[in-house]
Every structure is written in C-alpha cells, then in structure tokens.
Amino acid sequence: MSHLTDLPVWAAIPVCLLLLTGSAITLVGSIGLIRLKTFYGRLHAPTLGSSAGTILICLASMIAFAVLRDRWIFHEILIVIFIILTTPVTLMLLGQSALYRDRIEGSKDVPRKTTGQEPDLSALDI
C-alpha cells in the first residue's frame, strides 16, 4: 500500500482538485498544439498550458507531502521556479527566430516592420 492512503480527507480533496485541474489545463494546451493552424498560434497554447498545469500539479504535490510530513517540498519549489523562468524565455526565443526566418523568406503572413510613417499611396493608380 501507498503511504498516500494516510492523507486526511480535508487535504485529499484539494490535492485531487488541483491534480485534475492541472491535468486538464495541460491536456487543453496539448490539444491546442494539434488544433491551431499557424506556428505562432501553436507557440502559445502548449506554453501556457504546460506552465499552468505544471504549477498546479506541483502545488498538489506540495500540499500532499506537507500534510504527510514525509519529505521536504524543495523539489517542487525548484520545478515551479524553473518552469516560470524558462518557459517564457523559450517562447520568446522561438517566436523571434521564427519571425526572423519568415521575414528573410518573405512570407506574406508575417507583419512587417513599420517606421511609424506610412507611404502616401494616393498618387498611385491601383
């Protein structure tokens, strides 16, 4: 048997809710990776889903092991800190490199850089 059967009901309910919510958010982020069409859209769903889901799952683990007094919760705190620090940086670097690549290739879906002054196109016969 597992020592988690010793978890009191008042602690088991929030742990279960946090685990289910974190798993559902992570699942939605994974489905978003499959369902979204563009690369830029695909960046956001798994990034936000994995961050929020991992934080909720680690919070459930912190509550469970703090109540059981079985071990320190130092590992979960480190996981949350690393997820919070590395996920946005990875998203930013992937997005910037893809934007740079698309601008070099001349893709029409990429917003172009603007200087703040748009050219006057009224003189052109278009």
Coordinates of all heavy atoms in Angstrom, one line a residue, residues 46-110:
P46 N 0.6 25.4 -25.9 CA 1.3 24.5 -25.0 C 2.2 25.2 -24.0 O 2.4 24.7 -22.9 CB 2.2 23.7 -26.0 CG 2.2 24.3 -27.3 CD 1.0 25.3 -27.3
T47 N 2.6 26.4 -24.3 CA 3.4 27.1 -23.4 C 2.6 27.5 -22.1 O 3.0 27.2 -21.0 CB 4.0 28.4 -24.0 OG1 4.7 28.0 -25.2 CG2 4.9 29.1 -23.1
L48 N 1.5 28.1 -22.4 CA 0.6 28.5 -21.2 C 0.0 27.2 -20.5 O -0.1 27.2 -19.3 CB -0.5 29.4 -21.7 CG -0.1 30.7 -22.3 CD1 -1.2 31.5 -22.9 CD2 0.6 31.5 -21.2
G49 N -0.4 26.2 -21.3 CA -0.9 25.0 -20.7 C 0.1 24.2 -19.9 O -0.2 23.8 -18.8
S50 N 1.3 24.1 -20.4 CA 2.3 23.4 -19.6 C 2.7 24.1 -18.4 O 2.9 23.5 -17.3 CB 3.5 23.0 -20.5 OG 4.2 24.2 -20.8
S51 N 2.8 25.4 -18.5 CA 3.2 26.2 -17.3 C 2.1 26.1 -16.2 O 2.4 25.8 -15.1 CB 3.4 27.7 -17.7 OG 4.5 27.8 -18.6
A52 N 0.9 26.5 -16.6 CA -0.2 26.5 -15.5 C -0.4 25.1 -15.0 O -0.6 24.9 -13.8 CB -1.4 27.0 -16.1
G53 N -0.4 24.1 -15.9 CA -0.7 22.7 -15.5 C 0.4 22.2 -14.5 O 0.1 21.5 -13.5
T54 N 1.7 22.5 -14.9 CA 2.8 22.0 -14.0 C 2.8 22.7 -12.7 O 3.0 22.0 -11.6 CB 4.1 22.3 -14.7 OG1 4.1 21.6 -16.0 CG2 5.3 21.8 -13.9
I55 N 2.4 24.0 -12.6 CA 2.4 24.7 -11.4 C 1.3 24.1 -10.5 O 1.5 23.9 -9.3 CB 2.2 26.2 -11.6 CG1 3.5 26.8 -12.2 CG2 1.8 26.9 -10.3 CD1 3.3 28.2 -12.7
L56 N 0.1 23.8 -11.1 CA -1.0 23.2 -10.3 C -0.7 21.8 -9.8 O -1.0 21.5 -8.6 CB -2.3 23.2 -11.1 CG -2.9 24.6 -11.3 CD1 -4.1 24.5 -12.2 CD2 -3.3 25.3 -10.0
I57 N 0.0 21.0 -10.6 CA 0.3 19.7 -10.2 C 1.4 19.7 -9.1 O 1.3 19.0 -8.1 CB 0.8 18.9 -11.4 CG1 -0.4 18.6 -12.3 CG2 1.5 17.6 -11.0 CD1 0.0 18.0 -13.7
C58 N 2.4 20.6 -9.2 CA 3.4 20.8 -8.2 C 2.8 21.3 -6.9 O 3.2 20.9 -5.8 CB 4.5 21.7 -8.6 SG 5.6 20.9 -9.8
L59 N 1.8 22.2 -7.0 CA 1.1 22.7 -5.8 C 0.4 21.5 -5.1 O 0.4 21.4 -3.8 CB 0.1 23.8 -6.2 CG -0.6 24.5 -5.0 CD1 0.4 25.2 -4.1 CD2 -1.5 25.5 -5.6
A60 N -0.3 20.6 -5.9 CA -0.9 19.5 -5.3 C 0.1 18.6 -4.6 O -0.2 18.1 -3.4 CB -1.7 18.7 -6.3
S61 N 1.2 18.4 -5.2 CA 2.3 17.6 -4.5 C 2.8 18.2 -3.3 O 3.1 17.6 -2.3 CB 3.4 17.4 -5.5 OG 4.5 16.6 -5.0
M62 N 3.0 19.6 -3.3 CA 3.4 20.3 -2.1 C 2.4 20.1 -0.9 O 2.8 19.9 0.2 CB 3.6 21.8 -2.4 CG 4.7 22.1 -3.2 SD 4.8 23.9 -3.3 CE 5.3 24.1 -5.0
I63 N 1.1 20.2 -1.2 CA 0.1 20.1 -0.2 C 0.2 18.6 0.4 O 0.1 18.4 1.6 CB -1.3 20.4 -0.7 CG1 -1.3 21.9 -1.0 CG2 -2.3 20.0 0.3 CD1 -2.6 22.4 -1.7
A64 N 0.2 17.7 -0.5 CA 0.2 16.3 -0.1 C 1.4 15.9 0.8 O 1.2 15.4 1.9 CB 0.1 15.3 -1.3
F65 N 2.6 16.3 0.4 CA 3.7 15.9 1.2 C 3.9 16.8 2.4 O 4.6 16.4 3.4 CB 5.0 15.9 0.3 CG 4.9 14.7 -0.6 CD1 4.8 14.8 -2.0 CD2 5.0 13.4 -0.1 CE1 4.7 13.8 -2.8 CE2 5.0 12.3 -1.0 CZ 4.8 12.5 -2.3
A66 N 3.4 18.0 2.4 CA 3.5 18.9 3.6 C 2.6 18.3 4.7 O 2.9 18.4 5.8 CB 3.1 20.3 3.2
V67 N 1.4 17.9 4.3 CA 0.5 17.3 5.2 C 1.0 16.0 5.8 O 0.9 15.7 7.0 CB -0.9 17.1 4.6 CG1 -1.8 16.3 5.5 CG2 -1.6 18.4 4.3
L68 N 1.6 15.2 4.9 CA 2.1 13.9 5.4 C 3.4 14.0 6.2 O 3.8 13.1 6.8 CB 2.3 12.9 4.2 CG 1.1 12.4 3.5 CD1 1.4 11.7 2.3 CD2 0.2 11.6 4.5
R69 N 4.1 15.1 6.0 CA 5.4 15.4 6.6 C 6.4 14.2 6.2 O 7.2 13.8 7.0 CB 5.3 15.5 8.1 CG 4.5 16.7 8.6 CD 4.5 16.8 10.1 NE 3.7 17.9 10.5 CZ 2.3 17.9 10.7 NH1 1.7 16.8 10.4 NH2 1.7 18.9 11.1
D70 N 6.2 13.8 5.0 CA 7.1 12.7 4.6 C 8.4 13.1 4.1 O 9.4 12.5 4.3 CB 6.3 11.9 3.5 CG 7.0 10.6 3.1 OD1 7.5 10.0 4.0 OD2 7.0 10.2 1.9
R71 N 8.4 14.3 3.4 CA 9.7 14.8 2.8 C 9.5 16.3 2.6 O 8.5 16.8 2.7 CB 10.1 14.1 1.5 CG 9.1 14.3 0.4 CD 9.7 13.7 -0.9 NE 8.8 13.9 -2.0 CZ 8.7 14.9 -2.8 NH1 9.5 15.9 -2.6 NH2 7.8 15.0 -3.8
W72 N 10.7 16.9 2.3 CA 10.6 18.4 2.1 C 10.0 18.6 0.7 O 10.0 17.8 -0.2 CB 12.1 18.9 2.1 CG 12.7 18.8 3.4 CD1 13.5 17.8 3.9 CD2 12.6 19.8 4.4 NE1 13.8 18.1 5.2 CE2 13.3 19.3 5.5 CE3 12.0 21.0 4.5 CZ2 13.4 20.0 6.7 CZ3 12.1 21.7 5.7 CH2 12.8 21.2 6.8
I73 N 9.5 19.8 0.5 CA 8.9 20.2 -0.8 C 9.8 21.0 -1.6 O 9.4 21.7 -2.5 CB 7.6 20.9 -0.5 CG1 7.8 22.2 0.3 CG2 6.5 20.0 0.1 CD1 6.6 23.1 0.4
F74 N 11.1 20.9 -1.4 CA 12.1 21.7 -2.1 C 12.1 21.4 -3.6 O 12.3 22.3 -4.4 CB 13.5 21.4 -1.5 CG 14.6 22.3 -2.0 CD1 14.6 23.6 -1.8 CD2 15.6 21.7 -2.8 CE1 15.6 24.4 -2.3 CE2 16.6 22.4 -3.3 CZ 16.6 23.8 -3.1
H75 N 11.9 20.1 -3.9 CA 12.0 19.8 -5.4 C 10.8 20.4 -6.1 O 11.1 20.9 -7.3 CB 11.8 18.2 -5.5 CG 13.0 17.5 -4.9 ND1 12.9 16.9 -3.7 CD2 14.2 17.2 -5.4 CE1 14.1 16.4 -3.4 NE2 14.9 16.5 -4.4
E76 N 9.7 20.5 -5.6 CA 8.5 21.1 -6.2 C 8.7 22.6 -6.4 O 8.4 23.2 -7.4 CB 7.2 20.8 -5.5 CG 6.7 19.4 -5.6 CD 7.3 18.5 -4.6 OE1 8.2 18.9 -3.8 OE2 6.9 17.3 -4.5
I77 N 9.3 23.2 -5.4 CA 9.6 24.7 -5.5 C 10.6 24.9 -6.6 O 10.4 25.9 -7.4 CB 10.1 25.2 -4.1 CG1 9.0 25.1 -3.1 CG2 10.6 26.6 -4.2 CD1 9.4 25.4 -1.7
L78 N 11.6 24.1 -6.7 CA 12.6 24.3 -7.8 C 11.9 24.1 -9.2 O 12.2 24.8 -10.1 CB 13.8 23.3 -7.6 CG 14.8 23.7 -6.6 CD1 15.9 22.6 -6.5 CD2 15.4 25.0 -7.0
I79 N 11.1 23.1 -9.3 CA 10.4 22.8 -10.5 C 9.6 24.0 -11.0 O 9.6 24.5 -12.1 CB 9.5 21.5 -10.5 CG1 10.4 20.3 -10.4 CG2 8.6 21.4 -11.7 CD1 9.6 19.0 -10.0
V80 N 8.8 24.6 -10.0 CA 8.0 25.7 -10.3 C 8.8 26.9 -10.7 O 8.5 27.6 -11.7 CB 7.0 26.1 -9.1 CG1 6.4 27.4 -9.3 CG2 6.0 25.0 -8.9
I81 N 9.9 27.2 -10.0 CA 10.8 28.3 -10.3 C 11.4 28.1 -11.7 O 11.4 29.1 -12.5 CB 11.9 28.5 -9.3 CG1 11.3 29.0 -8.0 CG2 13.0 29.4 -9.8 CD1 12.2 29.0 -6.8
F82 N 11.9 26.9 -12.0 CA 12.4 26.7 -13.4 C 11.4 26.8 -14.5 O 11.7 27.3 -15.6 CB 13.2 25.4 -13.4 CG 14.5 25.4 -12.7 CD1 14.8 24.3 -11.8 CD2 15.4 26.5 -12.7 CE1 16.0 24.3 -11.1 CE2 16.5 26.5 -12.0 CZ 16.9 25.4 -11.2
I83 N 10.2 26.3 -14.3 CA 9.2 26.4 -15.3 C 8.8 27.9 -15.5 O 8.6 28.3 -16.6 CB 7.9 25.6 -14.9 CG1 8.2 24.1 -14.9 CG2 6.7 26.0 -15.7 CD1 8.4 23.6 -16.3
I84 N 8.7 28.7 -14.4 CA 8.3 30.1 -14.5 C 9.4 30.8 -15.3 O 9.1 31.8 -16.0 CB 8.0 30.7 -13.2 CG1 6.7 30.1 -12.6 CG2 7.9 32.2 -13.2 CD1 6.3 30.5 -11.2
L85 N 10.6 30.5 -15.0 CA 11.7 31.2 -15.7 C 12.0 30.8 -17.1 O 12.3 31.6 -18.0 CB 13.0 31.1 -14.8 CG 13.0 31.8 -13.5 CD1 14.3 31.4 -12.7 CD2 12.8 33.3 -13.6
T86 N 11.9 29.5 -17.4 CA 12.4 29.0 -18.7 C 11.3 29.0 -19.8 O 11.6 29.2 -20.9 CB 13.0 27.6 -18.6 OG1 12.0 26.7 -18.0 CG2 14.2 27.6 -17.7
T87 N 10.1 28.8 -19.4 CA 9.0 28.7 -20.4 C 8.8 30.0 -21.2 O 8.8 30.0 -22.4 CB 7.7 28.2 -19.8 OG1 8.0 27.0 -19.2 CG2 6.6 28.1 -20.9
P88 N 8.7 31.2 -20.5 CA 8.5 32.4 -21.3 C 9.8 32.8 -22.2 O 9.6 33.3 -23.3 CB 8.3 33.5 -20.3 CG 7.9 32.8 -19.1 CD 8.5 31.4 -19.1
V89 N 11.0 32.5 -21.7 CA 12.2 32.7 -22.4 C 12.2 31.9 -23.7 O 12.6 32.3 -24.8 CB 13.4 32.5 -21.5 CG1 14.7 32.6 -22.3 CG2 13.4 33.5 -20.4
T90 N 11.9 30.6 -23.5 CA 11.8 29.7 -24.7 C 10.8 30.2 -25.7 O 11.1 30.2 -26.9 CB 11.5 28.3 -24.2 OG1 12.4 27.9 -23.2 CG2 11.6 27.3 -25.4
L91 N 9.6 30.6 -25.2 CA 8.6 31.1 -26.1 C 9.1 32.3 -26.9 O 8.9 32.4 -28.1 CB 7.3 31.4 -25.3 CG 6.3 32.3 -26.1 CD1 5.5 31.4 -27.1 CD2 5.3 32.9 -25.1
M92 N 9.7 33.2 -26.2 CA 10.2 34.4 -26.8 C 11.3 34.1 -27.9 O 11.3 34.6 -29.0 CB 10.8 35.4 -25.8 CG 11.3 36.7 -26.3 SD 12.1 37.7 -25.1 CE 13.5 36.7 -24.7
L93 N 12.2 33.2 -27.5 CA 13.3 32.9 -28.5 C 12.8 32.2 -29.7 O 13.2 32.4 -30.8 CB 14.4 32.1 -27.8 CG 15.2 32.8 -26.7 CD1 16.1 31.9 -26.0 CD2 16.0 33.9 -27.4
L94 N 11.9 31.2 -29.5 CA 11.3 30.5 -30.7 C 10.5 31.5 -31.5 O 10.6 31.4 -32.8 CB 10.4 29.4 -30.2 CG 11.0 28.1 -29.8 CD1 10.0 27.2 -29.1 CD2 11.7 27.4 -30.9
G95 N 9.7 32.4 -30.9 CA 8.9 33.3 -31.7 C 9.8 34.3 -32.5 O 9.6 34.6 -33.7
Q96 N 10.9 34.8 -31.9 CA 11.8 35.7 -32.6 C 12.5 35.0 -33.7 O 12.7 35.6 -34.8 CB 12.7 36.3 -31.6 CG 12.1 37.4 -30.7 CD 13.1 38.0 -29.7 OE1 14.2 37.5 -29.6 NE2 12.7 39.1 -29.1
S97 N 13.0 33.8 -33.5 CA 13.7 33.1 -34.5 C 12.8 32.8 -35.7 O 13.1 32.9 -36.9 CB 14.4 31.9 -34.0 OG 13.4 31.0 -33.6
A98 N 11.5 32.4 -35.4 CA 10.6 32.1 -36.5 C 10.2 33.4 -37.2 O 10.1 33.4 -38.5 CB 9.3 31.5 -35.9
L99 N 10.0 34.5 -36.5 CA 9.7 35.8 -37.2 C 10.9 36.2 -38.1 O 10.7 36.7 -39.2 CB 9.4 36.8 -36.1 CG 8.9 38.2 -36.6 CD1 7.6 38.0 -37.3 CD2 8.8 39.1 -35.4
Y100 N 12.1 36.1 -37.6 CA 13.2 36.4 -38.4 C 13.3 35.6 -39.6 O 13.6 36.1 -40.7 CB 14.5 36.3 -37.5 CG 15.8 36.6 -38.3 CD1 16.2 37.9 -38.5 CD2 16.6 35.6 -38.7 CE1 17.3 38.2 -39.2 CE2 17.8 35.8 -39.4 CZ 18.1 37.1 -39.6 OH 19.3 37.4 -40.3
R101 N 13.1 34.3 -39.5 CA 13.1 33.4 -40.6 C 12.1 33.7 -41.7 O 12.3 33.8 -42.8 CB 13.0 31.9 -40.2 CG 13.0 30.9 -41.3 CD 12.4 29.6 -41.0 NE 11.0 29.8 -40.7 CZ 10.2 29.1 -39.9 NH1 10.8 28.1 -39.2 NH2 8.9 29.4 -39.7
D102 N 10.9 34.0 -41.2 CA 9.8 34.3 -42.1 C 10.0 35.7 -42.8 O 9.6 35.8 -43.9 CB 8.4 34.4 -41.3 CG 8.0 33.0 -40.9 OD1 8.5 32.0 -41.5 OD2 7.1 32.9 -40.1
R103 N 10.6 36.6 -42.1 CA 10.9 37.9 -42.8 C 12.0 37.7 -43.8 O 11.9 38.4 -44.9 CB 11.3 38.9 -41.7 CG 10.2 39.5 -41.0 CD 10.6 40.6 -40.1 NE 9.4 41.1 -39.3 CZ 9.5 41.7 -38.2 NH1 10.7 41.9 -37.6 NH2 8.4 42.2 -37.6
I104 N 13.0 36.9 -43.6 CA 14.0 36.6 -44.5 C 13.5 35.9 -45.8 O 13.8 36.3 -46.9 CB 15.2 35.8 -43.9 CG1 15.9 36.5 -42.8 CG2 16.2 35.3 -45.0 CD1 16.6 37.8 -43.3
E105 N 12.6 35.0 -45.6 CA 12.0 34.2 -46.7 C 10.9 35.0 -47.4 O 10.5 34.7 -48.5 CB 11.4 32.9 -46.1 CG 12.4 31.9 -45.7 CD 11.8 30.7 -45.1 OE1 10.6 30.6 -45.0 OE2 12.6 29.8 -44.8
G106 N 10.4 36.1 -46.8 CA 9.4 37.0 -47.4 C 8.0 36.4 -47.3 O 7.2 36.6 -48.2
S107 N 7.7 35.8 -46.2 CA 6.3 35.2 -46.1 C 5.3 36.4 -46.0 O 5.6 37.4 -45.4 CB 6.3 34.4 -44.8 OG 5.0 33.9 -44.6
K108 N 4.1 36.2 -46.6 CA 3.1 37.2 -46.6 C 2.3 37.3 -45.3 O 1.6 38.2 -45.0 CB 2.2 37.0 -47.7 CG 2.8 37.2 -49.1 CD 1.8 37.0 -50.2 CE 2.3 37.2 -51.5 NZ 3.6 37.5 -51.9
D109 N 2.4 36.2 -44.4 CA 1.6 36.2 -43.2 C 2.3 36.9 -42.0 O 1.7 37.1 -41.0 CB 1.4 34.7 -42.8 CG 0.5 34.0 -43.8 OD1 -0.3 34.7 -44.5 OD2 0.6 32.8 -43.9
V110 N 3.5 37.4 -42.2 CA 4.3 38.0 -41.2 C 4.1 39.5 -41.2 O 4.2 40.1 -42.2 CB 5.8 37.6 -41.3 CG1 6.6 38.3 -40.2 CG2 6.0 36.1 -41.3

